[in-house]
Amino acid sequence: MEEAAKRRTYQDDPDIQRRRWIILIVMNLFTFMSTLDGSIVNIALPTISESLKLPVAQTEWVTTSYLMAICAAILFFGKLGDSIGKIRIFKLGMMIFLLGSLLCGFSTSLTFLLVSRVIQAIGASMTMANSQGIVTDIFPPNERGKALGLVGTFVSLGSIAGPSLGGVMLSTLGWQSIFWVNVPIGLIAIAFGWKLLPVDMVKTGARMDKAGTGLFTGFILFLFAGLLLGQQLGYGDGRIIGSLVVAALLLGVFLWIEARKQEPLLQLGLFRNPLFSLGIVCGFLVFVSNFCFNIIAPFYTQSILQLSPFQAGFLLMLFPIMMVIIAPLSGALSDRIGSEILTFAGLIVMVVAQFGLARLHQGSPIPIVGTWVAMLGIGTGMFQSPNTSLIMSRIAKTQLGIAGSVNSLIRNVGMVVGITVATSTLFGVMSGQAGYRVTGLIPDRPDIFLTGMHVVFVVSASICLVAALLTGWRMIRSRRAEADSNQAKGQMAESRVARK
């Protein structure tokens, strides 16, 4: 099967190559919608809570259930894409996501809404798991970084459009409209997708790993339950400790079984490739660090700097705006000079920005705040596209689906871990300063919040610094290997000349 894939590829088909950029745009419409949907839903939670007469804590599961379902299903659909075709699974995911969005808008109870969100998440995970593999398959190596960079651009556009579009729709059309907005965009994407997306060329025909799928799903559910409920109940609670222990045991059994299966859900051999493994680890660390910023920044701008929600949103938009500008440029540049130097430079910029954020205070000028926010967006844009290209370019065609799903899984788990790190650190430091357990802002005590915020940003900067050190080590090691290889080739050439 792999030999056949080598003989016939999308890059050898002139018709597919002529429409490759249109194919990318169609695929990115679903990337845009899933990002837009997430940012709109977060803004709509208070409105949904009021409409369905629910406590805010219960309504938060509208967001959490979506994230948990994506992480639980994404490896399965990556493996299924490799087995029966990535494009086939992507197309089916488009329809399921659209159905889930439609059902969410018709929801009249929390149960119906959560079930609809899970359906929506299953569709999203089918597209997320296979989109990067399809892009890597279709685009030639000299354009791959640029193409993957545009994926990051669409993610950022979704982040920018969410707050403003969500506010308008909530005030004029009701909260149901935030889900229905996916329907017309999705129908357009499906129509073009069916016409433009080619037939799958690479299929392994491998059987699915039912035991691995069940164990991994259980691991994700117990892990997320422990991390997310721990923020409300405290991590010393016996139920939370029990949940995390069960998650660790399930992960151990999962890895033990996967290492012994002929056709596992997760090919552990992928991680023997140091470039792939380090890229995945660094990507995870960056998402953890950035979600520390995402959690803390709204509190700082609105509660400490006393900005209105509109003003705070406009200021924080500098982050995704910089990503929109930098990500495609960084991706295109990585095609010319390589990915490693750009990922390293991006991480250094992020470290500087995070330490800059750690020095902010109650009287910090808005331009200074905006500078550090913009720098964080620039560093992230410099890092993400080349890192994704570095990860995906080292994988065999028959494993692109599972590799892309691992990359997307790490992104989503990094979000949850980042939220947990930020809130646990913030409220832990604030509780120590206040002398009692704190789970929110203390009126008239901005100093206590600022102390906690400074520690959070030092922690997030340190996380980025670890990623930068790992990337620097990888870059030095690969350059030494290249130099040794060139030296060996030179010696062989001299030896051949001497024999002549």
Side-chain angles (χ1 to χ4, degrees):
M1 181 67 70
E2 192 168 351
E3 290 179 1
K6 288 179 181 177
R7 290 195 300 269
R8 182 169 175 255
T9 68
Y10 296 116
Q11 295 168 32
D12 298 326
D13 189 324
D15 186 47
I16 293 174
Q17 290 304 299
R18 276 195 300 271
R19 61 178 192 260
R20 64 190 184 279
W21 292 106
I22 301 176
I23 291 172
L24 179 66
I25 291 172
V26 170
M27 293 173 60
N28 278 339
L29 281 175
F30 272 85
T31 300
F32 172 79
M33 282 193 296
S34 61
T35 311
L36 177 72
D37 194 65
S39 57
I40 286 181
V41 169
N42 288 332
I43 287 176
L45 288 181
T47 306
I48 294 174
S49 176
E50 182 179 350
S51 174
L52 299 181
K53 296 179 173 56
L54 297 167
V56 175
Q58 288 186 25
T59 315
E60 287 176 357
W61 284 99
V62 176
T63 299
T64 305
S65 62
Y66 182 75
L67 193 59
M68 289 176 70
I70 287 176
C71 290
I74 201 163
L75 283 186
F76 172 80
F77 287 119
K79 180 70 174 178
L80 190 62
D82 285 334
S83 178
I84 67 174
K86 293 184 287 293
I87 292 175
R88 181 179 178 183
I89 295 300
F90 186 91
K91 286 180 175 180
L92 184 59
M94 293 165 77
M95 293 190 294
I96 293 175
F97 180 85
L98 196 62
L99 173 63
S101 299
L102 192 64
L103 292 175
C104 285
F106 283 116
S107 298
T108 55
S109 67
L110 180 62
T111 301
F112 192 97
L113 181 56
L114 292 181
V115 171
S116 302
R117 284 289 276 173
V118 169
I119 294 172
Q120 191 183 35
I122 289 172
S125 66
M126 295 170 80
T127 59
M128 287 180 185
N130 292 284
S131 60
Q132 292 176 10
I134 296 171
V135 170
T136 306
D137 251 348
I138 290 177
F139 280 83
N142 65 326
E143 292 181 338
R144 195 169 290 150
K146 185 178 181 181
L148 291 169
L150 283 173
V151 175
T153 301
F154 274 76
V155 170
S156 298
L157 285 172
S159 301
I160 292 172
S164 55
L165 181 60
V168 172
M169 296 179 71
L170 284 170
S171 60
T172 57
L173 301 174
W175 66 265
Q176 291 88 350
S177 64
I178 66 173
F179 299 108
W180 285 338
V181 72
N182 293 328
V183 176
I185 300 174
L187 288 174
I188 293 170
I190 287 173
F192 278 99
W194 246 255
K195 183 178 180 180
L196 297 173
L197 285 170
V199 176
D200 283 293
M201 291 183 181
V202 182
K203 303 177 187 178
T204 64
R207 288 181 297 181
M208 297 309 297
D209 178 8
K210 296 178 181 178
T213 300
L215 287 167
F216 187 78
T217 300
F219 159 67
I220 288 293
L221 295 178
F222 278 100
L223 174 67
F224 278 27
L227 291 177
L228 296 169
L229 292 176
Q231 299 173 53
Q232 300 175 23
L233 305 177
Y235 291 99
D237 189 287
R239 292 165 294 180
I240 302 305
I241 295 173
S243 180
L244 296 176
V245 169
V246 171
L249 291 173
L250 288 172
L251 177 62
V253 175
F254 170 75
L255 294 175
W256 185 83
I257 289 178
E258 295 299 283
R260 286 158 178 78
K261 281 218 170 196
Q262 288 187 345
E263 296 179 344
L265 175 69
L266 177 61
Q267 289 281 355
L268 297 179
L270 287 172
F271 297 96
R272 295 193 187 102
N273 183 333
L275 288 175
F276 177 83
S277 298
L278 275 173
I280 287 292
V281 169
C282 290
F284 171 75
L285 294 175
V286 165
F287 274 102
V288 172
S289 176
N290 278 348
F291 263 74
C292 289
F293 167 79
N294 286 355
I295 291 298
I296 300 299
F299 288 102
Y300 172 70
T301 52
Q302 295 183 56
S303 300
I304 305 301
L305 296 183
Q306 298 297 311
L307 299 179
S308 68
F310 175 81
Q311 292 170 327
F314 187 78
L315 177 62
L316 297 180
M317 273 186 187
L318 289 171
F319 182 103
I321 286 173
M322 288 298 104
M323 277 195 65
V324 167
I325 297 170
I326 298 298
L329 298 176
S330 179
L333 190 59
S334 72
D335 292 330
R336 296 187 176 187
I337 67 173
S339 298
E340 290 183 324
I341 186 66
L342 288 169
T343 57
F344 180 73
L347 286 165
I348 293 300
V349 173
M350 292 175 67
V351 170
V352 173
Q354 294 274 10
F355 276 120
L357 291 168
R359 295 177 60 83
L360 296 176
H361 50 82
Q362 192 171 5
S364 294
I366 299 301
I368 297 296
V369 179
T371 298
W372 295 128
V373 173
M375 276 189 66
L376 193 59
I378 290 170
T380 305
M382 290 175 66
F383 169 83
Q384 277 191 349
S385 304
N387 191 62
T388 302
S389 179
L390 197 65
I391 290 170
M392 299 301 290
S393 62
R394 299 307 194 272
I395 302 302
K397 291 182 181 298
T398 54
Q399 295 180 328
L400 285 173
I402 192 64
S405 63
V406 169
N407 197 25
S408 297
L409 170 67
I410 289 299
R411 179 180 67 198
N412 285 283
V413 174
M415 294 176 188
V416 176
V417 173
I419 292 169
T420 303
V421 169
T423 54
S424 300
T425 303
L426 176 69
F427 294 133
V429 173
M430 290 179 67
S431 297
Q433 291 283 310
Y436 56 89
R437 180 173 170 76
V438 174
T439 57
L441 297 180
I442 303 175
D444 301 322
R445 291 301 305 271
D447 57 309
I448 293 180
F449 171 82
L450 287 170
T451 301
M453 184 188 83
H454 293 158
V455 175
V456 170
F457 281 133
V458 168
V459 169
S460 63
S462 301
I463 291 171
C464 274
L465 183 59
V466 170
L469 293 173
L470 288 172
T471 302
W473 173 78
R474 176 181 62 188
M475 186 168 59
I476 293 170
R477 183 180 174 183
S478 63
R479 290 192 174 183
R480 283 179 180 173
E482 185 179 352
D484 291 343
S485 176
N486 291 335
Q487 185 179 2
K489 289 178 182 177
Q491 290 174 350
M492 289 175 64
E494 289 175 4
S495 177
R496 284 195 295 268
V497 171
R499 284 198 300 270
K500 290 180 180 180

